[in-house]
Amino acid sequence: MAVARQKATEAYYGKILDNQVVRWQRAKELRTYRAELAQRLEDAGPDEDLDSTRQWLGWIDQHITRTDPTETLPDMPATPELTPDDLKPYLGSWSPHGPEANVNSWQRQW
Protein backbone atom coordinates (compact mmCIF):
# COMPACT_ATOMS: atom_id res chain seq x y z
CA MET A 1 0.00 0.00 0.00
CA ALA A 2 2.85 2.40 0.76
CA VAL A 3 4.34 1.90 -2.71
CA ALA A 4 0.92 2.41 -4.30
CA ARG A 5 0.43 5.61 -2.29
CA GLN A 6 3.83 6.90 -3.40
CA LYS A 7 3.11 6.10 -7.06
CA ALA A 8 -0.35 7.70 -6.91
CA THR A 9 1.12 10.80 -5.28
CA GLU A 10 3.82 11.03 -7.95
CA ALA A 11 1.15 10.74 -10.66
CA TYR A 12 -0.85 13.51 -8.97
CA TYR A 13 2.21 15.79 -8.87
CA GLY A 14 2.97 14.92 -12.50
CA LYS A 15 -0.49 16.07 -13.58
CA ILE A 16 -0.02 19.37 -11.77
CA LEU A 17 3.38 19.85 -13.43
CA ASP A 18 1.98 19.00 -16.87
CA ASN A 19 -0.77 21.57 -16.38
CA GLN A 20 1.78 24.22 -15.37
CA VAL A 21 3.92 23.52 -18.44
CA VAL A 22 0.90 23.79 -20.75
CA ARG A 23 -0.06 27.12 -19.17
CA TRP A 24 3.56 28.34 -19.38
CA GLN A 25 3.82 27.41 -23.07
CA ARG A 26 0.52 29.17 -23.76
CA ALA A 27 1.79 32.29 -21.96
CA LYS A 28 4.91 32.25 -24.14
CA GLU A 29 2.73 32.09 -27.27
CA LEU A 30 0.59 34.94 -25.97
CA ARG A 31 3.67 37.06 -25.29
CA THR A 32 4.85 36.49 -28.85
CA TYR A 33 1.44 37.46 -30.21
CA ARG A 34 1.36 40.50 -27.95
CA ALA A 35 4.79 41.60 -29.18
CA GLU A 36 3.56 41.35 -32.79
CA LEU A 37 0.54 43.50 -31.95
CA ALA A 38 2.74 46.04 -30.17
CA GLN A 39 4.98 46.24 -33.23
CA ARG A 40 1.93 46.70 -35.45
CA LEU A 41 0.77 49.48 -33.12
CA GLU A 42 4.10 51.28 -33.52
CA ASP A 43 3.80 51.00 -37.31
CA ALA A 44 0.13 52.09 -37.38
CA GLY A 45 -1.04 55.02 -39.38
CA PRO A 46 -2.64 58.09 -37.81
CA ASP A 47 -6.16 57.18 -38.95
CA GLU A 48 -6.28 53.82 -37.11
CA ASP A 49 -8.07 53.33 -33.75
CA LEU A 50 -4.99 53.11 -31.52
CA ASP A 51 -6.75 53.60 -28.18
CA SER A 52 -8.77 50.41 -28.64
CA THR A 53 -5.62 48.47 -29.53
CA ARG A 54 -3.81 49.85 -26.49
CA GLN A 55 -6.71 48.74 -24.27
CA TRP A 56 -6.56 45.30 -25.84
CA LEU A 57 -2.81 45.07 -25.26
CA GLY A 58 -3.34 46.07 -21.62
CA TRP A 59 -5.93 43.34 -21.17
CA ILE A 60 -3.59 40.80 -22.82
CA ASP A 61 -0.83 41.81 -20.38
CA GLN A 62 -3.15 41.28 -17.42
CA HIS A 63 -4.35 37.95 -18.79
CA ILE A 64 -0.80 36.70 -19.23
CA THR A 65 0.07 37.75 -15.69
CA ARG A 66 -2.99 35.93 -14.32
CA THR A 67 -2.43 32.70 -16.25
CA ASP A 68 1.35 32.25 -16.48
CA PRO A 69 2.46 29.96 -13.64
CA THR A 70 5.96 31.46 -13.70
CA GLU A 71 4.75 34.94 -12.77
CA THR A 72 5.06 33.83 -9.15
CA LEU A 73 7.14 31.00 -7.77
CA PRO A 74 4.93 27.95 -7.33
CA ASP A 75 4.69 26.12 -4.03
CA MET A 76 5.07 22.39 -3.63
CA PRO A 77 1.56 20.98 -4.07
CA ALA A 78 -0.15 19.67 -0.98
CA THR A 79 -0.04 15.91 -0.54
CA PRO A 80 -3.24 14.59 -2.08
CA GLU A 81 -5.90 12.84 -0.05
CA LEU A 82 -6.04 9.58 -1.93
CA THR A 83 -9.10 7.40 -2.16
CA PRO A 84 -9.01 3.62 -2.60
CA ASP A 85 -9.90 4.16 -6.27
CA ASP A 86 -6.82 6.39 -6.66
CA LEU A 87 -4.65 3.47 -5.51
CA LYS A 88 -6.20 0.77 -7.73
CA PRO A 89 -3.98 1.39 -10.78
CA TYR A 90 -0.86 0.85 -8.64
CA LEU A 91 -1.89 -2.31 -6.77
CA GLY A 92 -1.99 -4.87 -9.55
CA SER A 93 -4.41 -7.62 -8.51
CA TRP A 94 -4.56 -6.43 -4.90
CA SER A 95 -7.60 -4.63 -3.59
CA PRO A 96 -7.25 -1.18 -2.04
CA HIS A 97 -9.91 -2.26 0.47
CA GLY A 98 -7.72 -4.94 2.04
CA PRO A 99 -7.31 -8.67 1.51
CA GLU A 100 -10.88 -9.38 2.58
CA ALA A 101 -12.17 -7.72 -0.60
CA ASN A 102 -10.62 -10.52 -2.68
CA VAL A 103 -12.13 -13.34 -0.66
CA ASN A 104 -15.47 -14.87 -1.60
CA SER A 105 -18.17 -14.71 1.02
CA TRP A 106 -18.04 -18.50 1.51
CA GLN A 107 -14.27 -18.25 2.20
CA ARG A 108 -14.55 -15.61 4.90
CA GLN A 109 -14.16 -16.74 8.45
CA TRP A 110 -16.47 -15.02 10.85
Side-chain angles (χ1 to χ4, degrees):
M1 289 296 278
V3 171
R5 282 191 188 288
Q6 180 63 31
K7 288 181 179 180
T9 300
E10 291 293 322
Y12 173 80
Y13 292 154
K15 286 179 186 177
I16 291 172
L17 178 60
D18 289 344
N19 178 274
Q20 288 176 349
V21 169
V22 167
R23 290 176 25 231
W24 170 68
Q25 289 173 333
R26 180 69 176 148
K28 286 174 52 177
E29 291 173 341
L30 291 173
R31 281 189 178 92
T32 300
Y33 177 75
R34 193 249 183 250
E36 289 290 327
L37 288 181
Q39 183 61 52
R40 174 71 176 86
L41 181 64
E42 287 183 23
D43 298 339
D47 55 333
E48 294 189 61
D49 183 5
L50 303 181
D51 288 336
S52 179
T53 302
R54 285 187 188 98
Q55 287 178 327
W56 184 233
L57 288 173
W59 185 89
I60 291 171
D61 289 337
Q62 292 170 3
H63 178 71
I64 292 169
T65 299
R66 284 190 304 270
T67 60
D68 183 355
T70 64
E71 284 291 319
T72 58
L73 292 175
D75 294 327
M76 179 69 183
T79 303
E81 292 188 28
L82 301 169
T83 66
D85 285 339
D86 294 328
L87 300 178
K88 276 183 184 179
Y90 308 101
L91 290 172
S93 62
W94 292 69
S95 169
H97 301 287
E100 296 81 22
N102 288 333
V103 177
N104 293 325
S105 61
W106 57 270
Q107 292 176 314
R108 290 190 183 124
Q109 295 179 355
W110 304 97

